[in-house]
Amino acid sequence: MGILNVTPDSFFDAGRFSSFDDALARGLAMVEEGAGIIDIGGESTRPGARAVTEEEEVRRVVPLVEALAARTGVPISVDTSKAAVMRAALRAGATFINDVRALREAGALDAAAASDAGICLMHMQGEPRTMQVEPVYDDVVVDVQRFLLERITACESAGIASDRIVVDPGIGFGKRIEHNMQLLAALPQLLELRRPLLIGVSRKSMFATLLGRPVGERLAGGLAVAVTSVLAGAHIVRTHDVAATIDAVKIVTALRTSGYRIAETDEGERL
Ligand code: 8Y4
């Protein structure tokens, strides 16, 4: 899943998307690189970000959805929590909803249910503006697993078939480094939800914490997590770096096809 941010404050691409044409070119380039989904977002969810109005989000996102849906064969995802933005993007050709609030905003469940779009349900503790202010969990893996199960159930009650749903632990969303690491180490437990698993770590601040790297130097860290996540069974990787991520994942997949397994003794002990 290639990331296409159309926010004025996009952390890395700030100032680079001077226009609609630049964003369209970036989307087409990610398709050329092999992206299977393009995720278009007009609301910044970075820690501390301000809310945007529905009108502003529609104005940023819908023309790009329309242009990319017309010019590419890949599914177009709209990264939004607002029902009106979902409806407008779906009308414009989007076939996937990526909602960091997991359809908890007013009208969002109904907007999704009225479509046949795929849906990513993501876990977030709190709201972007304040979520990184002392996030606390009893057991983050259990909390995330329970939350995602509750949202899957809410979708099913609204008439959304479970085969339309993808789940995501929301790395960095109301989580400290130890929470992010515990979740990434526990992907098998999240796979128990029996839904495809999406993981997004591209350029996130966990790499500042672990490596001390600024945002432009986090590619290797992101690839390492993409590789381990796919080895652990993740289905979709959300990334700014489509070509590099596909190369890394292709190698892992080829090795697995050739019999690569995490070494275990006869007693099942990890070596
Ligand atoms: C530096 C780089 C600092 C990136 C912050 C960030 C996810 C997502 C985002 C995710 C799903 C971000 C919209 C946050 N992350 N959607 N969206 N999963 N499903 N922050 O992990 O990239 S935006």
Side-chain angles (χ1 to χ4, degrees):
M1 173 184 267
I3 301 171
L4 193 52
N5 279 320
V6 284
T7 55
D9 64 351
S10 303
F11 42 88
F12 184 64
D13 297 312
R16 281 187 52 217
F17 290 154
S18 50
S19 70
F20 170 86
D21 291 345
D22 288 349
L24 177 57
R26 180 86 192 104
L28 293 172
M30 290 194 292
V31 173
E32 288 301 307
E33 290 176 26
I37 307 174
I38 300 296
D39 187 40
I40 305 177
E43 180 207 14
S44 176
T45 46
R46 67 190 287 187
R50 296 268 315 274
V52 293
T53 66
E54 184 177 296
E55 294 74 22
E56 179 60 19
E57 220 180 305
V58 167
R59 195 185 61 76
R60 290 175 187 172
V61 163
V62 166
L64 254 192
V65 169
E66 203 160 52
L68 280 168
R71 284 172 180 76
T72 77
V74 308
I76 305 302
S77 163
V78 60
D79 156 17
T80 190
S81 298
K82 296 187 183 73
V85 180
M86 290 172 193
R87 289 183 192 274
L90 293 166
R91 250 195 323 274
T95 58
F96 196 89
I97 297 166
N98 175 30
D99 185 2
V100 300
R101 295 179 183 80
L103 304 179
R104 285 177 292 164
E105 293 287 290
L109 259 180
D110 290 341
S115 76
D116 55 10
I119 295 156
C120 180
L121 300 173
M122 199 197 79
H123 176 272
M124 171 166 61
Q125 185 182 82
E127 271 290 309
R129 204 174 57 79
T130 53
M131 66 187 177
Q132 291 310 105
V133 182
E134 271 191 66
V136 178
Y137 295 87
D138 179 16
D139 178 329
V140 70
V141 176
V142 169
D143 276 22
V144 167
Q145 199 172 26
R146 196 175 287 148
F147 171 85
L148 292 173
L149 182 58
E150 185 273 319
R151 297 315 298 157
I152 291 169
T153 305
C155 283
E156 286 170 350
S157 301
I160 298 168
S162 65
D163 66 0
R164 292 169 51 192
I165 299 171
V166 168
V167 295
D168 181 342
I171 299 302
F173 284 86
K175 290 156 189 112
R176 301 167 62 88
I177 185 65
E178 59 266 31
H179 302 136
N180 293 326
M181 298 306 273
Q182 283 161 16
L183 286 165
L184 289 169
L187 300 190
Q189 278 150 273
L190 300 179
L191 288 166
E192 288 169 7
L193 292 164
R194 295 289 157 200
R195 302 313 321 146
L197 186 59
L198 189 157
I199 297 293
V201 297
S202 187
R203 299 180 185 174
K204 285 186 180 174
S205 66
M206 62 176 279
F207 302 113
T209 310
L210 293 171
L211 306 172
R213 300 278 186 205
V215 82
E217 296 176 11
R218 297 177 186 171
L219 175 60
L223 294 178
V225 177
V227 161
T228 55
S229 297
V230 169
L231 266 178
H235 300 76
I236 304 173
V237 175
R238 184 178 179 276
T239 182
H240 300 84
D241 302 293
V242 171
T245 301
I246 290 175
D247 277 2
V249 168
K250 267 189 186 165
I251 297 300
V252 163
T253 307
L255 283 167
R256 225 179 7 194
T257 302
S258 296
Y260 178 91
R261 294 293 179 276
I262 304 290
E264 275 185 14
T265 64
D266 292 344
E267 287 76 41
E269 184 192 11
R270 291 283 176 85
L271 294 178

